Structure formats: C-alpha cells, structure tokens
C-alpha cells in the first residue's frame, strides 16, 4: 500500500512536537532541581561537611546537571529536525521477508511506542541510502550482515515542516538535487551535508574507528566536511564512550575555526576541542610565533630564492631525519654523568652508610637500558629508579618519593653542558648551514624545530591527549610538525588536505604516500569537486595541470579577465552588475600590503572590510589574501592586480589556483596592464570594462 507522504510528514511533525514538549518539561524540571540542590547545599553546607554526605550531595548534583545537559542537547536536535524531519526514504526487503521496510532517514532517530519513524543518518541501516542503487543491498550490524533488496530510493525537499516536493531515483544522490543545493549562495558558516554525502565520502565517514585515514582531496571535494561528519558518526556509534571533548581538531586558523563552527551543532552534536598548531607552540614555548599568513605574505611580496630553498628543505623528511639524528646522536653524546653518593646514616663514631650511584651505572641506564627513548623520558626513568632505592630501603616514604624524583631529575639535567632550547636550535642550524632566526618571535618555519627540541629534552607542559584526532590542511604542516602530532597523540586520526593547495612549496604524490606511511594511515584520494561550476573548476585545474578532476555537471559563466584603467571603479561595477544576487563576495589579493592599498581606494566607492577576525566574515564584501581565504568559499571571487608584473612565478601560480578555487559561481580577474601569463587560457576577456 502506497504511503501518503503528506500525511506521514504531518504525523512525524506531531511526534516531534510532542517530544519537544516532553524534553522542555524535563529540562525545566532538571533545572529547577539543580537550582534547589545548589541552594540547599549552600544553606546546609556546615551540616553536610562529613565526607560521605558531601560526596553524595555533589554526586547527585552532577547527575542532575548531566541529565539537564542531555535534555538540552536532545531538545536542540529536535528543534532542528522539526524544520526538516527527514530528507530521504529507502524501501528495503530483507531476504526471507515479503513486505519491505519503509525507512525514513533524517538528522536523528524519531521513535514512538517502539516504532522508528525516522532513522538517524548514522545508523547502520541508513548506510544503504548512500552506498547502493536499486537492487541487492546490505548493511552490517555488529558482526552480522543483513542482506536484501532495495526497491525504492526517494528524496524529499522539506522546509519548515512542509513537504515541497519528492521524487524517486536509482542514484545515490540525484544529480538534480545536488545541483540545486550547490547552486545556492554561500552561508556565513559551513553547512552539514548529510543529505548529499556521496558514496566515496560515506565510506570514509563510516570507516572502522581504529583506522587511520589520510584524505587527499582536491579543492571543493568536501574533505573538511567529511572529517566533521566522521566525528559526528563516531559520537553516535560510541555514545557514552566518546564525547565531543574527546575529539581534538587542529585547524589552520581562527577564521577557519569560526567558519566550520556550526557543522556539528547542525547535526545535533557539541563542538569539538579546537586549537591551531600555532596556539600549541605559543603555549609550550611561551613566546610569540609568526603566523602562517604572515610568512606567506612575506613570500608573496618578496619571493627570494634562498628563502624558498630553505622552506623547501625544512618541509622535507630529510630535514626531520637530520634533526632527529642530531638530537639522538650528537646532542645525547654530550650527556656526561658524575658519581653520586648520599649519606643515609651516620653513627656517633662517624661511621657512615651511603647510597651510591656510580657514573658508569647512570651511563649504562641512559645509553643502553633506556636507549630509544627521548631524553626527558630517560631522565624520568632514571630519577624514578634512583628515588625508589631510597623508598625501598625505607629512608623515604612514598609521599616523599615524588619530591626526591624531582631532585634527581634536576641533578641528571646538570650532566648536559647545554640545556637552553635557543642554544640547541642555533647549534643545529649551524650544523645544517642555515641561518638561525633572531629575536623574540619564532619564525613560522622554525616553530616545529623549537617544539621538537623542547619535547625531546623536557617533554611538554600541557596534556593534549584525545581519543580521536582530526588534522585539517595537512599540506600546510612540515614533516617535523607531523612527527610531533605522532608523538603527542596516540589515538586514531583522520588527516585531510590537498597537496595542490600548498602555496610556498610543491609537494609530490611520493611525499603524500611517505606521509601516509609515516602516520600509519590508509591513503584515500578524492578527485571530484562539488564547489565550483564546471567552467571555474576546469579553468583552475588546467592552470596547474590537473586533468583527472571530476566535477558536478553544474554550469555557469566562464571565468572573466577584465582589462581596465580604473581598477576600483571596475570592481565596483562587477559587484553591482554581475554579483547583485550574491551574498558573499571576496576580493582576494596577493598579500596584505596589496589588500590595504586596495581597501583605501575601494572604501571610497564600496562598503567593504578586510577579513582579519572571524566576525568580519559576516560582511558581504570582503578584501582578503589567499593565505587567509584558504579553506573558505565565496559566491564570487575577484582577483585584482592580475598583471604580468605582479603574478609571474610558481608561487604566484599557486596563489592564483587557491584563490580561484574559492569561487562557487563567478570568478573575475582584473588588471590595468598586461595580464599574467597564467591567464593566457582564460576563455572570456573584456577590454576597457
């Protein structure tokens, strides 16, 4: 019997409304109980000072607070889901059954009286929607495979609880729906993509929890979204074992962090623990660290070959190998212990009993027993072993043992002639025939070296442990950085990036495989872009010789080169005449100096702002640089000063490519003189606009 889709939706919305009311009531009740409990504890604190009573009171309050948080999270998800209760339906008949199961798929499970009206998109049964066309299909629950026939795949367009349309398809995600979604204007924040996840993306999202994955995805392939949806999937699959606080994401910068901040809340989950590698460096080194954006700005403004060669070397596994060989070889060889002797008892006749640690014993432990460990681990183990001698002979209690270990650690460090991180860094730079950076601020390319030296010698001050790790923009990190990730986190990970979007250096497919092997990752490549129109995608990818890229068949206007005598007025005309219907327009400059200069002239004719803080992204017209815009997308992109004198080398080509791939619908280049040679194949040229 055919289901009346309109009536089915109405019944699901009624159930959601009922559950919203129930959760609201439970939330208010929990809030009231918590408030009363805190008040009672405050008023009767002295009467409850006995350990057990006070402990029980705190435990009860913690339980109520946990319930309150759960009700709040559930309420938030239901309110989200009410607008679009589900986006798809599959009819699946298990082998041996006569009647099909009608499975509606949405953001979360909607159940009433033991009947499931909507299945969570992360549920095992929902995987068939993403993975199969009509015909034989299967899904896995635990170790058991459920096989059968998929007889229907239906997709819905529902807004504010109203059914606008639906149609049946044999495809995973109907191209018509995908094109319609992709044709929309950019929102201020990245959106969840559960209704349009593709088969190859779904495979990554649902990979085995313990599997380490490195995703090489071209611009617009959805790699960041995949990583975030994988986090949501893990939170669903391991509910009660993993929370959002257990998942760490390393983001490129704070603007990008703000841009992706709504994805998990849209999926009914809390945001993850986020940081940038620069923040980790500043916290550990307690010194300012040059930002990646500033480093790229210097290269774009003045690309000296000597500096580019240095960056290339510091971005290699050869450099990492040299650093580790220095620390584990030449530097460790400077460890020169002395005999240690401690008086533990002396009688009236001046007879003394000592505990002795000969230099040879310390040397044996350091170089043989604990060989292979970092220096700080060797010292920790020797200090612990020596301190335990006193404890075992009852000269010290267990409580005193910690202080004794710390004393031994200080003594053991004195056996090293040089312990200052700056001095060790300078020695290593000299050995490599490289100039050591001077000043308080640590240069971007050296932060990994400084951190590696500190970690090897002293360990880190902060605990960065997590149960799952997400690393975004992998190509921006050096092998030294990646080595530190491996040292700091011993949990499963997903690493995403695109070697083609590296501005300051060129990375090969061999580098990609070496990195995957180094991290113990399975390498997966995504070669389909969902961001730009095919005209923009074809042009951008041909610029750097990418010929194997697939794209959604979404057509638009070709990229346009405009030659003009008045750049500011031309940009104003482009925005007013060509981009009137767009919500987010980026004018992407080569460097900050260029951006500030352009802002002065544009401010006279346009309401625009330089993108420097996360809140700036809310403005319609943004002036920014390629380094800052990387990872973000815009309805239209305008690249000014696209002259031959301004864009003429490989660094400039990379900047052109990354800037171009930020555009969804329109791409413009503007120049006042002879255009860059990288634009020779641009299909649409306008003279004297």
């Amino acid at each position: 019997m055919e289901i009346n889709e309109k009536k089915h939706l109405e019944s699901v919305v009624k159930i959601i409304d009922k559950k919203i009311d129930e959760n609201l009531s439970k939330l208010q009740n929990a809030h009231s109980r918590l408030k009363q409990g805190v008040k009672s504890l405050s008023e009767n604190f002295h009467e409850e000072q006995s350990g057990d009573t006070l402990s029980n009171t705190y435990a009860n309050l913690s339980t109520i607070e946990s319930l309150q948080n759960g009700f709040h999270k559930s309420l938030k998800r239901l309110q989200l889901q009410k607008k679009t209760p589900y986006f798809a339906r599959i009819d699946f008949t298990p082998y041996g059954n006569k009647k099909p199961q009608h499975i509606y798929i949405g953001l979360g499970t909607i159940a009433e009286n033991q009947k499931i009206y909507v299945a969570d998109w992360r549920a095992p049964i929902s995987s068939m929607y993403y993975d199969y066309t009509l015909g034989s299909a299967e899904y896995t629950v635990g170790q058991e495979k459920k096989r059968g026939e998929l007889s229907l795949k239906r997709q819905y367009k529902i807004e504010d609880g109203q059914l606008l349309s639906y149609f049946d398809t044999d495809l995973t995600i109907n191209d018509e729906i995908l094109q319609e979604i992709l044709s929309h204007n950019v929102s201020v924040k990245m959106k969840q993509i559960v209704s349009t996840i593709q088969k190859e993306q779904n495979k990554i999202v649902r990979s085995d929890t313990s599997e380490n994955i490195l995703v090489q995805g071209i611009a617009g392939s959805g790699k960041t979204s995949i990583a975030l949806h994988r986090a949501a999937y893990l939170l669903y699959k391991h509910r009660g074992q993993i929370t959002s606080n257990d998942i760490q994401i390393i983001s490129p910068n704070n603007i990008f962090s703000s841009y992706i901040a709504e994805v998990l809340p849209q999926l009914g989950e809390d945001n993850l623990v986020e940081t940038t590698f620069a923040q980790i460096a500043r916290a550990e080194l307690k010194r300012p660290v040059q930002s990646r954006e500033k480093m790229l700005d210097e290269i774009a403004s003045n690309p000296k070959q000597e500096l580019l060669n240095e960056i290339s070397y510091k971005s290699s596994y050869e450099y990492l190998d040299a650093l580790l060989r220095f620390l584990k070889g030449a530097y460790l060889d400077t460890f020169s212990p002395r005999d240690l002797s401690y008086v533990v008892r002396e009688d009236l006749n001046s007879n003394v009993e000592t505990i002795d640690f000969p230099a040879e014993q310390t040397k044996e432990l350091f170089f043989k027993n604990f060989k292979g460990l970092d220096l700080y681990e060797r010292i920790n183990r020797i200090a612990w072993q020596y301190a335990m001698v006193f404890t075992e002979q009852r000269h010290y209690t267990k409580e005193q043992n910690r202080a004794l270990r710390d004393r031994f650690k200080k003594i053991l460090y004195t056996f090293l002639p040089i312990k200052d991180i700056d001095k060790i860094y300078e020695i290593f730079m000299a050995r490599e025939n490289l100039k050591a950076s001077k000043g308080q601020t640590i240069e971007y390319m050296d932060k990994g070296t400084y951190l590696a030296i500190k970690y090897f010698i002293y360990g880190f001050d902060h605990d960065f442990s997590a149960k799952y790790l997400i690393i975004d923009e992998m190509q921006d990190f050096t092998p030294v950085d990646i080595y530190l990730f491996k040292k700091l986190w011993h949990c499963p990970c997903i690493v995403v990036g695109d070697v083609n979007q590296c501005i300051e250096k060129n990375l090969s497919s061999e580098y990609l495989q070496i990195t995957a092997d180094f991290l113990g990752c399975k390498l997966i490549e995504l070669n389909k872009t969902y961001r730009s129109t095919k005209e923009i995608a074809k042009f951008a990818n041909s610029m750097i010789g990418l010929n194997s890229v697939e794209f959604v068949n979404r057509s638009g206007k070709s990229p346009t080169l405009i030659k003009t005598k008045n750049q500011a007025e031309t940009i104003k005309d482009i925005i007013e005449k060509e981009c009137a219907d767009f919500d987010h327009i980026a004018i992407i400059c080569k460097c900050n100096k260029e951006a500030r200069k352009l802002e002065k002239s544009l401010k006279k004719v346009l309401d625009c702002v330089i993108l420097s803080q996360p809140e700036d992204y809310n403005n319609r017209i943004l002036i920014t640089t390629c380094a800052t815009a990387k990872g973000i997308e815009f309805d239209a992109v305008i690249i000014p000063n696209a002259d031959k004198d301004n864009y003429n080398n490989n660094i400039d080509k990379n900047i052109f490519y990354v800037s171009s791939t930020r555009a969804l619908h329109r791409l413009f280049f503007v120049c006042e003189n002879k255009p860059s040679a990288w634009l020779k194949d641009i299909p649409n040229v306008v003279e004297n606009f």
Side-chain angles (χ1 to χ4, degrees):
M1 182 174 125
E2 180 58 34
I3 296 172
N4 185 315
E5 293 288 6
K6 192 172 182 181
K7 286 185 178 179
H8 179 80
L9 177 60
E10 288 171 357
S11 65
V12 173
V13 170
K14 282 182 182 178
I15 293 170
I16 293 175
D17 279 333
K18 180 184 174 185
K19 290 190 173 295
I20 286 174
D21 291 340
E22 288 172 354
N23 270 269
L24 195 56
S25 176
K26 290 176 181 177
L27 180 63
Q28 290 168 344
N29 179 260
H31 179 72
S32 177
R33 287 170 60 198
L34 185 62
K35 188 176 179 182
Q36 184 59 43
V38 171
K39 182 182 177 184
S40 176
L41 177 63
S42 176
E43 291 173 349
N44 304 297
F45 183 78
H46 294 291
E47 286 76 7
E48 296 188 6
Q49 277 191 13
S50 66
D52 288 346
T53 305
L54 199 58
S55 177
N56 289 337
T57 302
Y58 279 125
N60 289 335
L61 289 176
S62 177
T63 300
I64 295 170
E65 185 177 26
S66 180
L67 286 170
Q68 179 183 259
N69 292 339
F71 294 141
H72 183 268
K73 190 172 176 179
S74 181
L75 179 64
K76 190 176 177 183
R77 198 258 304 161
L78 286 164
Q79 288 169 336
L80 276 172
Q81 200 163 353
K82 183 181 176 180
K83 297 176 183 177
T84 306
Y86 46 84
F87 54 83
R89 168 186 154 193
I90 55 175
D91 285 1
F92 177 69
T93 309
Y95 290 139
N97 291 22
K98 292 183 178 180
K99 290 185 178 181
Q101 300 172 353
H102 308 300
I103 302 141
Y104 288 82
I105 301 169
L107 277 181
T109 302
I110 303 296
E112 180 81 346
N113 298 324
Q114 296 185 321
K115 180 181 177 182
I116 296 177
Y117 286 83
V118 179
D120 193 298
W121 67 277
R122 298 166 288 188
I125 200 167
S126 301
S127 65
M128 293 187 292
Y129 167 69
Y130 300 103
D131 291 340
Y132 291 98
T133 56
L134 298 185
S136 297
E138 63 180 42
Y139 66 99
T140 304
V141 180
Q143 300 297 316
E144 186 181 359
K145 286 191 181 296
K146 306 280 188 178
R147 295 183 172 88
E149 289 287 324
L150 208 58
S151 56
L152 178 91
K153 291 188 72 171
R154 183 168 288 175
Q155 295 171 37
Y156 302 87
K157 187 174 182 182
I158 301 172
E159 291 181 5
D160 294 323
Q162 299 297 312
L163 180 62
L164 302 183
S165 63
Y166 68 87
F167 53 87
D168 299 340
T169 177
D170 188 29
L171 303 174
T172 304
I173 305 296
N174 187 279
D175 204 42
E176 184 180 332
I177 277 193
L178 192 55
Q179 286 187 46
E180 197 270 333
I181 289 171
L182 295 174
S183 67
H184 290 171
N185 284 352
V186 173
S187 61
V188 174
K189 305 286 186 181
M190 181 185 280
K191 296 177 181 178
Q192 55 89 357
I193 58 165
V194 290
S195 64
T196 58
I197 292 174
Q198 303 293 289
K199 183 176 180 178
E200 70 275 12
Q201 297 172 331
N202 186 55
K203 187 177 180 182
I204 299 169
V205 168
R206 296 174 188 263
S207 294
D208 185 83
T209 308
S210 61
E211 188 171 33
N212 292 329
I213 305 166
L214 192 156
V215 179
Q216 156 59 33
I218 61 162
S221 58
K223 50 192 175 290
T224 300
S225 285
I226 292 168
L228 294 172
H229 285 69
R230 174 150 175 76
Y233 172 73
L234 294 174
L235 290 170
Y236 170 86
K237 185 178 181 182
H238 301 287
R239 188 77 70 200
Q241 299 172 24
I242 296 179
T243 70
S244 56
N245 290 329
D246 296 321
I247 303 178
Q248 172 87 57
I249 179 168
I250 309 295
S251 291
N253 54 53
N254 291 332
I255 291 172
F256 184 78
S257 296
S258 174
Y259 177 60
I260 65 173
E262 290 301 315
V263 174
L264 282 160
Q266 287 171 5
L267 296 170
E269 300 291 351
D270 295 328
N271 264 322
L272 312 177
V273 178
E274 269 191 81
T275 189
T276 65
F277 194 45
Q279 287 171 329
I280 292 173
R282 284 192 290 268
E284 284 297 326
L285 301 172
K286 297 175 178 60
R287 287 180 45 192
V289 176
Q290 181 190 37
S291 69
R292 175 171 174 78
E293 288 74 22
K294 189 168 183 182
M295 182 270 289
L296 291 176
D297 206 56
E298 290 179 3
I299 292 172
S301 304
N302 189 14
K304 294 179 181 176
Q305 192 57 50
E306 183 183 1
L307 176 59
L308 294 177
N309 291 342
E310 183 179 317
I311 287 172
S312 179
Y313 178 51
K314 288 180 179 178
S315 299
S316 69
Y317 280 94
E318 182 186 356
Y319 177 81
L320 170 63
D321 184 58
L323 176 60
L324 295 181
R325 278 190 287 107
F326 164 70
L327 291 173
K328 295 178 180 182
Y331 180 69
L332 279 188
D333 288 343
T334 66
F335 184 78
S336 182
R338 301 182 299 274
D339 292 335
L340 299 175
S341 183
Y342 298 91
V343 176
V344 292
R345 188 179 290 109
E346 183 176 3
D347 62 22
L348 295 174
N349 298 320
S350 298
N351 296 315
V352 297
E353 180 186 342
T354 62
I355 294 179
D356 301 309
F357 303 105
E360 280 304 313
Q361 180 183 342
T362 305
K363 202 170 184 179
E364 179 91 2
L365 289 169
F366 189 88
F367 287 105
K368 291 186 179 179
N369 294 46
F370 302 133
K371 183 181 179 181
L373 298 179
D374 291 336
L375 185 144
Y376 82 93
E377 292 177 299
R378 301 185 195 200
I379 284 179
N380 284 348
R381 295 202 183 191
I382 296 171
W384 178 84
Q385 189 165 315
Y386 283 1
M388 282 303 296
V389 172
F390 287 83
T391 305
E392 288 165 357
Q393 295 186 18
R394 300 184 179 179
H395 297 296
Y396 277 82
T397 65
K398 288 183 179 180
E399 288 72 24
Q400 294 171 315
N401 185 271
R402 183 186 296 274
L404 187 58
R405 276 184 291 168
D406 290 341
R407 283 173 58 192
F408 268 117
K409 281 167 64 175
K410 287 180 181 177
I411 292 167
L412 291 166
Y413 272 113
T414 65
F415 299 158
L416 290 159
I418 302 172
K419 298 175 286 295
D420 181 73
I421 294 171
D422 283 288
K423 291 287 185 187
I424 297 164
Y425 158 77
E426 288 171 9
I427 292 168
F428 174 66
M429 288 291 114
R431 286 170 62 96
E432 295 298 304
N433 295 315
L434 296 169
K435 289 181 181 177
S437 59
K438 303 293 183 182
Q440 180 66 9
T441 300
I442 296 171
E443 291 184 2
Y444 176 83
M445 290 303 299
D446 288 335
K447 70 182 185 310
T449 305
Y450 267 92
L451 282 171
I453 291 170
K454 182 186 177 185
Y455 187 86
F456 182 80
I457 297 172
Y458 298 108
F460 276 0
D461 302 328
H462 301 84
D463 179 18
F464 298 101
S465 60
K467 291 182 180 178
Y468 197 79
L469 177 67
I470 299 172
I471 301 173
D472 206 348
E473 300 291 350
M474 165 275 300
Q475 74 281 354
D476 292 349
F477 298 110
T478 68
V480 175
D481 302 337
I482 293 167
Y483 163 79
L484 285 163
F485 294 150
K486 192 174 178 180
K487 281 283 187 180
L488 289 175
W489 288 282
H490 303 285
C491 57
C493 65
I494 182 168
V495 182
V496 299
D498 178 15
V499 292
N500 303 301
Q501 292 186 63
C502 196
I503 295 170
E504 74 277 18
K505 55 187 180 283
N506 292 318
L507 299 176
S508 65
S509 56
E510 182 185 13
Y511 174 90
L512 200 61
Q513 188 60 60
I514 291 171
T515 301
D517 293 341
F518 183 74
L519 288 171
C521 287
K522 177 183 179 182
L523 176 60
I524 299 174
E525 298 193 45
L526 299 176
N527 293 314
K528 188 171 184 178
T529 179
Y530 300 93
R531 177 182 293 145
S532 306
T533 61
K534 68 177 183 180
E535 287 80 9
I536 294 173
K538 278 184 174 181
F539 167 75
N541 291 313
S542 66
M543 193 189 305
I544 61 168
L546 275 180
N547 301 314
S548 58
V549 173
E550 300 175 53
F551 45 81
V552 176
N553 193 24
R554 182 172 70 89
S555 293
K557 293 187 178 180
S558 296
T560 302
L561 168 64
I562 300 173
K563 299 177 182 179
T564 180
K565 297 297 181 185
N566 190 326
Q567 187 165 244
E569 284 295 334
T570 296
I571 291 173
K572 173 178 176 288
D573 287 346
I574 291 170
I575 292 171
E576 290 179 351
K577 295 175 183 177
E578 303 289 331
C579 305
D581 296 330
F582 296 148
D583 297 329
H584 278 79
I585 302 156
I587 303 161
I588 303 181
C589 299
K590 182 176 176 178
C591 60
N592 273 301
K593 182 180 178 182
E594 183 182 295
R596 288 191 297 269
K597 183 179 178 182
L598 185 65
E599 183 198 24
K600 285 183 180 179
S601 58
L602 282 179
K603 276 284 188 182
K604 299 172 185 176
V605 294
L606 275 176
D607 182 15
C608 56
V609 64
I610 287 185
L611 178 59
S612 58
Q613 302 294 332
E615 54 269 24
D616 294 334
Y617 191 71
N618 296 326
N619 291 274
R620 179 172 179 254
I621 304 170
L622 294 167
I623 302 172
T624 185
T625 63
C626 174
T628 302
K630 194 150 67 71
I632 309 175
E633 56 188 30
F634 305 91
D635 294 318
V637 166
I638 301 168
I639 301 175
N641 301 305
D643 305 86
K644 182 181 179 181
D645 290 341
N646 196 33
Y647 287 91
N648 52 42
N649 56 46
N650 277 331
I651 298 291
D652 297 335
K653 179 179 69 171
N654 294 342
I655 291 172
F656 259 167
Y657 174 72
V658 174
S659 299
S660 298
T661 55
R662 302 306 94 207
L664 268 79
H665 311 302
R666 296 298 306 274
L667 174 62
F668 301 90
F669 296 87
V670 180
C671 66
E672 292 184 342
N673 300 298
K674 188 174 181 179
S676 169
W678 303 118
L679 302 178
K680 60 181 172 49
D681 295 326
I682 201 160
N684 190 17
V685 180
V686 178
E687 303 274 357
N688 301 317
F689 184 78

